[in-house]
Structure formats: structure tokens, C-alpha cells
Amino acid sequence: MKVVVIHGPNLNMLGIREQNIYGPIKLEEINKQMKTVAEQNKIDIEFFQSNLEGEIIDKIQECLGEADGIIINPAAYTHTSIAIRDAIAAIQLPVIEVHISNIHRREDFRAKSLTAPVCSGQISGFGPFGYHLAMMAILQIFTEIQAIKNQQNAKVKQN
Ligand code: DQA
């Protein structure tokens, strides 16, 4: 199983930017913690950060046939990017959307996510722990997909 973690614009500034909202933790530390959980669960994990919409879209498209699921924080593109939403919808993989802050209790323009409706689910407001929750969620989804595949194989063998 392979998970690709996509971090959107300005998340490379974590630990520096608006610490009162995003806390002191750096992106490398978040990635390190996710890698530990992935290794414990025998999941192959890849990290990608970009400040550019097109690069994020290219990465999402590359996941088709390469990855089993995506964890994405589209950052500000969450609220603006129909193109990222369309890319997520196109690949038909389990995608978990993460926000460090609670986007529903900030400015009005942050409350709307264009991307969440095409994701399996959204985790928002738990700080960096949200990425850990996203790992748990994607592991659960993989377990469910595997159980369905096993059932289908058993049926094929019966027939
Ligand atoms: C964010 C929330 C967005 O509104 C903001 O533009 C970000 C970070 C979060 O993780 O809380 O850059 O996605």
C-alpha cells in the first residue's frame, strides 16, 4: 500500500507562519511523525509540497496507478481551486483532506472547501494531530477495501 501526502502553499512555512494559528511544529517534523506511523503499518509513504497549483494537480494525476490513497492539505487552494477539485475527482482514489486549523471557525471565506466534497472526508481543527488522524482514516479505508476484495475473490473461487 502506498500513500502520497500532498502539502499545499505556505505549508513549507510551518513553524514560522502565524504560530498562534498553526503552532510551532515544522513540516519536516509532521512528515517524520507520519513516516513512523506508516512504517509501523507497512505503508509506503511519499511527501510532496508545492506552492504552485499546477504542480499539485500534476502530483495528484501521477498518483493514478502509483498510489492507493492521498492525504492532502490544499491550504489556501482549498477555497479557490476548482482545478484541484477536478483532479481529485478524476483519479477516484481515497483522499483525506486535512486542515491544521478549524477552517469553520475562522474567516467566512475559509469555511467553504471546494475540495472536500470530492474527498472521502475532511479533518479540520486538531492541529498537526490531524495528520495522524488522517493516517488512521486512510488505514481504515485500506482495510475496508481489502476486505471487499477478499470477499470478491472468495466468491469467484466458489463459482
Ligand atoms: C489551512 C487552512 C487554510 O485556510 C489556509 O489557507 C492554510 C492552512 C490549515 O491547514 O489550517 O494555508 O489549510
Side-chain angles (χ1 to χ4, degrees), residues 8 20-21 44 67 81 89 91 119 129 132 143 154-155 158:
N20 55 324
I21 297 172
D44 192 9
S81 181
I91 52 155
C119 291
F129 186 64
H132 185 80
T143 306
K155 269 193 193 150
Q158 270 173 12

Side-chain angles (χ1 to χ4, degrees), residues 3-4 9 17 23 31 35 40-41 49 54 58-60 76 80 83 90 98 114 117 123 127 130 146:
V3 175
V4 174
R17 76 183 284 216
N31 289 348
K35 198 170 164 47
Q40 283 164 354
N41 290 281
Q49 191 277 328
D58 285 346
K59 191 68 201 177
I60 293 168
T80 62
V98 176
L114 296 184
I123 295 165
Q146 205 48 56

Side-chain angles (χ1 to χ4, degrees), residues 2-6 46 56-70 91 93:
K2 176 164 179 180
V3 175
V4 174
V5 183
I6 302 177
E46 182 189 330
I56 293 169
I57 292 162
D58 285 346
K59 191 68 201 177
I60 293 168
Q61 290 182 4
E62 275 171 28
C63 288
L64 188 60
E66 287 293 318
D68 300 289
I70 298 176
I91 52 155
L93 288 175

Side-chain angles (χ1 to χ4, degrees), residues 9 11 17 22 73 75-76 78-79 98-101 103 106 110:
L11 293 172
R17 76 183 284 216
Y22 301 112
N73 183 345
T78 306
H79 321 295
V98 176
H99 298 286
I100 296 166
S101 64
I103 59 170
R106 297 182 62 192
R110 291 188 206 275

Side-chain angles (χ1 to χ4, degrees), residues 25-155:
I25 194 167
K26 286 190 178 344
L27 192 60
E28 299 80 65
E29 185 55 32
I30 289 174
N31 289 348
K32 209 171 123 193
Q33 289 176 9
M34 291 178 91
K35 198 170 164 47
T36 304
V37 177
E39 278 170 3
Q40 283 164 354
N41 290 281
K42 300 187 171 49
I43 301 268
D44 192 9
I45 196 159
E46 182 189 330
F47 301 98
F48 177 81
Q49 191 277 328
S50 176
N51 295 322
L52 304 179
E53 188 177 21
E55 284 187 2
I56 293 169
I57 292 162
D58 285 346
K59 191 68 201 177
I60 293 168
Q61 290 182 4
E62 275 171 28
C63 288
L64 188 60
E66 287 293 318
D68 300 289
I70 298 176
I71 294 172
I72 185 167
N73 183 345
Y77 287 136
T78 306
H79 321 295
T80 62
S81 181
I82 298 170
I84 291 179
R85 176 197 173 114
D86 287 351
I88 294 170
I91 52 155
Q92 293 193 317
L93 288 175
V95 178
I96 314 285
E97 178 172 311
V98 176
H99 298 286
I100 296 166
S101 64
N102 181 351
I103 59 170
H104 302 285
R105 72 167 195 211
R106 297 182 62 192
E107 300 95 329
D108 287 350
F109 65 84
R110 291 188 206 275
K112 175 106 184 129
S113 169
L114 296 184
T115 43
V118 292
C119 291
S120 306
Q122 182 198 66
I123 295 165
S124 175
F126 295 98
F129 186 64
Y131 290 97
H132 185 80
L133 294 174
M135 285 295 291
M136 296 298 105
I138 211 143
L139 281 167
Q140 178 61 25
I141 291 171
F142 287 166
T143 306
E144 285 166 15
I145 290 172
Q146 205 48 56
I148 292 167
K149 280 186 185 160
N150 290 346
Q151 264 177 11
Q152 285 167 346
N153 288 343
K155 269 193 193 150

